């Protein structure tokens, strides 16, 4: 039998964490230690938890393990290894009580983090059906719930799960495609720990100590000394946001009454279609905003008669009204902060429940972006409110019937005009809060490395990102006590309308900051300049992103003889009226679909002109009839450039520039 609690621990940041378990005289462990876990092969593994002060604790797994004695504060830690990849094993932790965990493997463990393009679920990605059809038997998943915290948290909610058709759809698509390729190529189990939050900036994922120690970033640490009038600021922000949403989103249309009998248990749903939940309905081909009804019949055991039940649905994006057997049991509307991310948990009165068939009906209303059920399968269940050990809940993930009540065309507002939330401990954009709540609790757990897809939220401060992003990488390596921990990241994809003439671009400057971060040892970059979508900041091609990250890992971390990336700018030289540009990783340099595109050239007047370019071995020769004495070249320098340069491995060249002139984000 498993025990859970706030584990006491000492980790790399030098903070001692004490949980309630130390008073309970029972061995307890954090959420990361459990059934289906993957432990990092080939290195020292740390397992930790709490017990009574002075209690002896032993760990046994795969014929190895160790012993410890809980200190005066109840904290214990056992280190052992290295252990070769394999499994399944049983992990036993014994003190005055015994914890036993099954389906435990040794393999490769990676943390996946960032903002919405890392959070983007497999269910919405291109190729998801093929992925699920092939399966992922050697992959294990751990989803970190969203939890901002100015304090360094000791533990997270969640549990390891096997990767299958029920758990994979709601998990990060990039992480899954990356993990599957590693598992295939290395023939080992892979554990993926996903911790990301859409729209968040890099400073939110960085510790206060690191931000405070760097003069150019110290202002983020200083900003944490909040004004005492934060409640007034929050109210003002809520009012401004409501006004902006009223102008840019279709108004919420609440139900005046359930649509013709759709909530009633005896209404036939024979003409309704079927959708597997949880998922966004856009990923099921329903590209609309508006109101959609979902129904599911469940068989309630006779033993539950006369008892209140708890109905859990996970988050519903955006609003819902929920019925059981035709009667409303709950709902969340625009009045609730973060309505789109709030898990729905409703109490169902005993008088509504009858043994046998009961019908749950949910009217979901989406007024922008993706709509539907956005949580994890484990968040969807029906169970007694006074649940005992003998009560097994009814899982509600899987097939539901659905019918459209109100179809509205999707909207595309200008987010640059959207009011920004004031900083505060509950705002995920506040510096340090995601490190504190979603990264720090993971750092005692041995991992191989991290993959990162973020940058959109920092594009307006791209020049500063040159310092911020390397600082984050060093910060995480220090927290994990792995100074050479591999850190692989995705360069921003192309987005927005193409421009007719060369121009400055904050997104191009952010890509350059990412490119420059390759100077940090043991990093790698996946270029995505060719797989974005002009009208969607969340491109659906995550398979190529995962593949390119895996290429970087296989080359740089695992020593495989593969190209780590596409061509990367190395140097340039003026040759009369032309400029020759040289690259690294440029074997088999080629341009798809014709001559190389995306190049611009200028003289010292800084007036840029589109250029002619030709391939010469592993170099590019660039010229323009309008520029007699060229001094600089740029490639892919735009939000959504036309780029067609690849190497023999089919990996695209990174955008770059040969000049260092001030851009739109700095230096001033």
């Amino acid at each position: 039998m498993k025990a859970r609690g706030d584990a006491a621990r000492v980790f790399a940041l030098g903070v001692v964490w004490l949980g309630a378990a130390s008073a309970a005289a029972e061995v307890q462990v954090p959420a990361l230690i459990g059934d289906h876990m993957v432990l990092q092969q080939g290195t020292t593994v740390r397992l930790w938890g709490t017990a009574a002060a002075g209690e002896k604790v032993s760990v046994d797994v795969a014929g190895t393990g160790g012993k410890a004695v809980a200190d005066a504060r109840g904290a214990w830690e056992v280190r052992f290894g290295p252990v070769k990849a394999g499994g399944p094993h049983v992990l036993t932790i014994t003190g005055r009580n015994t914890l036993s965990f099954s389906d435990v493997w040794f393999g490769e463990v990676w943390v996946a983090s960032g903002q919405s393009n890392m959070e983007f679920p497999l269910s919405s990605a291109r190729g998801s059906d093929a992925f699920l059809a092939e399966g992922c038997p050697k992959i294990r998943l751990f989803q970190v719930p969203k939890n901002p915290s100015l304090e360094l948290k000791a533990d997270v909610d969640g549990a390891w799960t096997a990767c299958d058709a029920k758990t994979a759809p709601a998990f990060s698509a990039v992480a899954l495609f990356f993990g599957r390729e590693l598992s295939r190529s290395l023939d080992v189990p892979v554990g993926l720990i996903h911790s990301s939050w859409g729209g968040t900036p890099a400073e939110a994922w960085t510790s206060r100590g690191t931000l405070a120690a760097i003069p150019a970033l110290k202002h983020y640490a200083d900003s944490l000394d909040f004004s005492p009038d934060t409640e007034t600021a929050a109210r003002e922000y809520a009012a401004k946001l409501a006004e902006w949403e009223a102008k840019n989103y279709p108004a919420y249309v609440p139900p005046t009454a359930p649509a013709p009998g759709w909530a009633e248990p005896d209404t036939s749903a024979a003409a309704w279609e079927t959708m597997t939940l949880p998922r966004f309905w856009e990923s099921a081909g329903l590209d609309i905003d508006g109101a959609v009804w979902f129904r599911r019949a469940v068989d309630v055991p006779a033993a539950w008669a006369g008892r209140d039940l708890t109905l859990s649905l996970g988050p519903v994006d955006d609003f819902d009204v929920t019925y059981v057997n035709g009667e409303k049991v709950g709902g969340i509307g625009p009045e609730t902060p973060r309505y789109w991310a709030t898990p729905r948990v409703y109490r169902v009165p005993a008088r509504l429940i009858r043994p046998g068939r009961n019908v749950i009906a949910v009217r979901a209303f989406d007024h922008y972006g993706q709509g539907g059920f956005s949580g994890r399968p484990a968040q969807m269940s029906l169970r007694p409110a006074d649940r005992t050990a003998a009560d097994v809940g009814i899982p509600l993930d899987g097939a539901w019937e659905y019918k459209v009540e109100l179809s509205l065309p999707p909207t595309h507002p200008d987010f640059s005009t959207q009011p920004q939330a004031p900083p505060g401990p509950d705002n995920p954009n506040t510096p340090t809060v995601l490190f504190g709540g979603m990264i720090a609790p993971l750092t005692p757990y041995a991992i191989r490395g991290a993959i990162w897809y973020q940058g959109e939220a920092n594009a307006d401060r791209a020049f500063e990102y040159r310092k911020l992003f390397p600082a984050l990488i060093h910060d995480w390596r220090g927290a994990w006590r792995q100074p050479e921990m591999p850190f692989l990241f995705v360069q921003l994809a192309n987005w927005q309308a193409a421009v007719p003439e060369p121009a400055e671009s904050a997104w191009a400057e952010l890509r350059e900051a990412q490119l420059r971060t390759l100077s940090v040892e043991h990093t790698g970059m996946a270029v995505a300049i060719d797989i974005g979508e002009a009208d969607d900041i969340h491109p659906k091609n995550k398979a190529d992103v995962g593949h390119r990250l895996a290429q970087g890992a296989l080359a740089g971390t695992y020593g495989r003889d593969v190209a780590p990336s596409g061509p990367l700018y190395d140097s340039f030289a003026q040759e009369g009226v032309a400029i020759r540009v040289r690259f690294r990783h440029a074997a088999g340099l080629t341009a798809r679909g014709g001559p190389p595109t995306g190049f611009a050239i200028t003289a010292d007047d800084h007036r840029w002109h589109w250029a002619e370019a030709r391939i010469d071995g592993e170099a590019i020769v660039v010229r323009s009839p309008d520029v007699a004495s060229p001094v600089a070249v740029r490639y892919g320098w735009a939000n959504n450039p036309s780029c067609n340069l690849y190497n023999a491995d089919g990996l695209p060249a990174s955008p770059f520039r040969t000049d260092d002139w001030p851009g739109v984000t700095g230096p001033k």
Side-chain angles (χ1 to χ4, degrees), residues 304-309 324-325 327-329 348-354 358:
W304 292 7
R307 300 165 70 183
D308 289 354
L309 305 184
V324 173
N325 291 332
E327 186 167 326
K328 179 181 174 181
V329 296
V348 184
R351 62 179 176 79
L352 293 181
I353 299 299
R354 55 201 180 200
N358 294 258

Side-chain angles (χ1 to χ4, degrees), residues 373-419:
F373 293 70
S374 60
R376 305 185 306 276
Q379 291 178 285
M380 302 185 69
S381 66
L382 182 68
R383 63 190 68 224
D386 58 348
R387 183 185 181 190
T388 67
D391 293 315
V392 178
I394 300 172
L396 296 179
D397 60 303
W400 284 62
E401 298 154 329
Y402 78 93
K403 188 176 182 67
V404 176
E405 175 196 334
L406 175 64
S407 177
L408 301 173
T411 57
H412 301 283
D414 179 4
F415 284 105
S416 66
T417 65
Q418 184 178 14

Side-chain angles (χ1 to χ4, degrees), residues 302-327:
W304 292 7
R307 300 165 70 183
D308 289 354
L309 305 184
T310 298
L311 172 61
S312 302
L313 299 171
V316 177
D317 192 341
D318 291 303
F319 315 117
D320 77 291
V321 181
T322 297
Y323 305 82
V324 173
N325 291 332
E327 186 167 326

Side-chain angles (χ1 to χ4, degrees), residues 213 232 256 322 468 494 511 533 591 633 641:
T232 299
T256 54
T322 297
L468 177 57
N494 50 310
R511 294 189 193 106
E533 299 177 22
V633 164

Side-chain angles (χ1 to χ4, degrees), residues 227-573:
S227 163
D229 202 19
T230 52
E231 290 186 8
T232 299
R235 286 195 299 270
E236 292 175 349
Y237 162 71
K240 291 178 181 177
L241 181 61
E243 181 181 358
W244 184 87
E245 289 186 346
K247 292 179 180 178
N248 288 276
Y249 295 158
Y252 171 49
V253 181
T256 54
W262 291 358
E264 297 298 327
D266 297 330
T267 297
S268 172
W272 292 38
E273 297 184 70
T274 301
M275 186 183 301
T276 299
L277 301 181
R279 75 188 303 175
F280 291 116
W281 62 56
E282 285 81 359
S283 69
L286 202 59
D287 191 20
I288 64 167
D289 292 339
V292 180
W293 282 76
F294 294 86
R295 283 172 51 103
R296 175 155 175 167
V298 296
D299 287 325
V300 172
W304 292 7
R307 300 165 70 183
D308 289 354
L309 305 184
T310 298
L311 172 61
S312 302
L313 299 171
V316 177
D317 192 341
D318 291 303
F319 315 117
D320 77 291
V321 181
T322 297
Y323 305 82
V324 173
N325 291 332
E327 186 167 326
K328 179 181 174 181
V329 296
I332 285 180
E335 72 286 346
T336 301
R338 296 190 54 77
Y339 46 77
W340 64 92
T342 300
R344 272 53 168 182
V345 180
Y346 302 129
R347 197 173 188 91
V348 184
R351 62 179 176 79
L352 293 181
I353 299 299
R354 55 201 180 200
R357 183 178 181 272
N358 294 258
V359 172
I360 301 166
V362 182
R363 181 192 190 260
F365 187 96
D366 178 46
H367 74 159
Y368 169 70
Q370 300 188 101
F373 293 70
S374 60
R376 305 185 306 276
Q379 291 178 285
M380 302 185 69
S381 66
L382 182 68
R383 63 190 68 224
D386 58 348
R387 183 185 181 190
T388 67
D391 293 315
V392 178
I394 300 172
L396 296 179
D397 60 303
W400 284 62
E401 298 154 329
Y402 78 93
K403 188 176 182 67
V404 176
E405 175 196 334
L406 175 64
S407 177
L408 301 173
T411 57
H412 301 283
D414 179 4
F415 284 105
S416 66
T417 65
Q418 184 178 14
Q420 298 301 303
D426 297 325
N427 181 350
N429 296 329
T430 298
T432 79
V433 296
L434 302 186
F435 180 88
M438 299 175 65
I439 296 298
L442 313 178
T443 58
Y445 199 84
I447 66 173
R448 177 65 70 190
I451 57 174
W452 174 260
Y453 195 162
Q454 191 276 338
E456 297 93 337
N458 288 87
D460 61 336
R461 294 162 283 146
F463 187 75
E464 179 189 69
Y465 204 74
R466 295 184 181 189
K467 291 187 180 293
L468 177 57
F469 189 29
L472 179 150
I473 295 171
H474 291 302
D475 188 36
W476 286 24
R477 288 173 171 174
W480 260 282
R481 289 193 274 190
Q482 294 179 221
E484 297 182 351
M485 183 179 81
F487 195 104
L488 311 174
F489 52 91
V490 183
Q491 194 182 52
L492 292 189
N494 50 310
W495 178 56
Q496 295 187 327
V499 295
E501 298 296 333
E504 300 295 338
S505 163
W507 272 50
E509 291 177 27
L510 195 286
R511 294 189 193 106
E512 180 183 50
Q514 293 172 316
L515 176 63
R516 292 169 65 97
T517 302
L518 290 176
S519 63
V520 177
E521 291 186 341
H522 309 293
T523 58
M525 184 177 74
V527 177
I529 198 63
D530 60 330
I531 53 179
E533 299 177 22
D535 58 355
D536 195 342
I537 200 171
H538 305 119
K540 294 180 177 58
N541 182 356
K542 304 304 187 193
D544 279 335
V545 177
H547 166 70
R548 293 169 187 180
L549 285 168
Q551 283 280 105
L554 291 170
T557 303
Y558 300 108
R560 296 298 177 91
D561 186 19
V562 297
S565 76
L568 299 177
Y569 166 70
D570 184 65
S571 63
F572 81 102

Side-chain angles (χ1 to χ4, degrees), residues 569-587:
Y569 166 70
D570 184 65
S571 63
F572 81 102
Q574 186 177 359
E575 295 182 354
V577 297
I579 288 180
R580 179 179 296 270
V581 181
R582 295 180 175 83
F583 300 87
R584 293 175 286 124
H585 311 306

